[in-house]
Amino acid sequence: MGERTEFNAGDRAPNNGVYIEVGENDFHMGINDPKMVELQKGERFPELTNHNRKWKRKKQ
């Protein structure tokens, strides 16, 4: 079983890194000015700007 790739507000970060907001239809239309946060392992994800969005680790 693999590691989760999308997270909700209040979840804990599995690894250090930069996380970005993604939407449910992100592959069709991108989010204008998505929120980005840099978290350390174990820190909680902040609130999202829309209830339909999730946090996802930014590709490097």
Side-chain angles (χ1 to χ4, degrees), residues 3 10 13 15-16 19 22 29 31 34 40 45-46:
E3 183 178 334
N15 298 306
N16 299 343
Y19 293 86
V22 294
M29 16 194 241
I31 297 173
Q40 301 298 313
F45 287 97

Side-chain angles (χ1 to χ4, degrees), residues 12-17 19 39-44:
R12 292 190 184 272
N15 298 306
N16 299 343
Y19 293 86
L39 298 174
Q40 301 298 313
K41 182 178 180 178
E43 288 185 309
R44 292 196 181 271

Side-chain angles (χ1 to χ4, degrees), residues 4-40:
R4 287 180 29 203
T5 59
E6 294 184 349
F7 307 93
N8 295 310
D11 289 349
R12 292 190 184 272
N15 298 306
N16 299 343
V18 176
Y19 293 86
I20 189 168
E21 259 186 334
V22 294
E24 51 192 21
N25 291 328
D26 204 30
F27 57 91
H28 288 299
M29 16 194 241
I31 297 173
N32 293 334
D33 196 25
K35 208 190 236 187
M36 278 195 264
V37 293
E38 186 170 351
L39 298 174
Q40 301 298 313

